[in-house]
Amino acid sequence: MNLVLIGFMGSGKSEVGSRLAAVLGMGLADTDARIEERAGISIAHIFEREGEDVFRALERQVVADAAAGDGLVIATGGGVVLDRRNVDALRDNGLIFYLDIEGEDAHIRTAGDAARPLLNVGDREGEVRRLLEQRRPLYEASAHYRIRVSGKSVEELVQEIVEIWRR
Ligand code: S3P
């Protein structure tokens, strides 16, 4: 069984995922990092040079590979839920936790980060709100558990998830 983290950009999937893997003694599959390894260039560059469709196709392959593994903490990219095939593959052998972050916090945490191509627009705050509104129902429908992120430290989030995982 895999432990899967989904949620919006800035919700802490990578950081919480790497701590969870350490605490639980599980392997870590950070899909964004694996996409960059496979492509040999950064995500920002994939978007810039090849476009979002190429990125999503790479994401689908990397997600399918990770989902086929076992005993992994899988930290996904914020858009993984846009493709039903990703969600189905991840749910097949995984318990999915949705890291639910407030729009304002997501905006603060991603502000000035050029590595997130979808937010390289004039009105970043409006774009965070728009994307979050569009995706929230998908995150909710895809997850087994929803974990509220705002106001909690990484360690608190890890403890909360570990408790559910060990039940
Ligand atoms: C994306 C989120 C990013 C990365 C890519 C697309 C999205 O991951 O996969 O830029 O569509 O929300 P993070 O959620 O780790 O920032």
Side-chain angles (χ1 to χ4, degrees):
M1 179 83 109
N2 297 313
L3 191 167
V4 183
L5 300 177
I6 63 171
F8 199 71
M9 290 173 268
S11 60
K13 302 177 294 289
S14 294
E15 208 183 342
V16 171
S18 107
R19 278 296 295 148
L20 275 170
V23 168
L24 294 169
M26 294 168 78
L28 174 69
D30 187 312
T31 61
D32 280 347
R34 289 193 171 188
I35 291 165
E36 291 186 329
E37 272 166 34
R38 213 172 268 202
I41 53 173
S42 70
I43 285 172
H45 279 128
I46 302 172
F47 270 77
E48 206 175 285
R49 293 183 202 164
E50 319 277 352
E52 182 169 351
D53 289 354
V54 168
F55 171 79
R56 295 296 172 202
L58 275 168
E59 182 175 50
R60 204 160 51 238
Q61 287 170 20
V62 164
V63 166
D65 287 353
D70 195 33
L72 295 174
V73 174
I74 305 177
T76 61
V80 78
V81 293
L82 297 174
D83 192 323
R84 183 73 220 174
R85 287 170 288 185
N86 291 333
V87 177
D88 289 344
L90 290 165
R91 282 184 71 103
D92 227 22
N93 183 36
L95 204 56
I96 305 195
F97 293 83
Y98 165 32
L99 298 186
D100 182 9
I101 188 166
E102 303 289 333
E104 209 182 310
D105 291 337
H107 171 60
I108 292 167
R109 291 210 206 170
T110 55
D113 186 351
R116 291 197 165 93
L118 289 181
L119 299 181
N120 285 341
V121 296
D123 176 18
R124 281 179 79 113
E125 195 169 359
E127 190 61 7
V128 165
R129 213 175 310 122
R130 192 185 70 78
L131 286 173
L132 199 49
E133 233 161 75
Q134 186 186 75
R135 292 174 176 186
R136 195 166 263 142
L138 295 173
Y139 293 133
E140 284 173 359
S142 305
H144 297 100
Y145 296 98
R146 181 166 66 112
I147 308 291
R148 286 178 191 280
V149 165
S150 297
K152 293 178 193 160
S153 67
V154 169
E155 283 312 312
E156 284 170 329
L157 292 168
V158 167
Q159 277 320 311
E160 198 173 329
I161 294 168
V162 164
E163 261 171 45
I164 298 170
W165 176 255
R166 286 189 171 144
R167 262 184 216 156

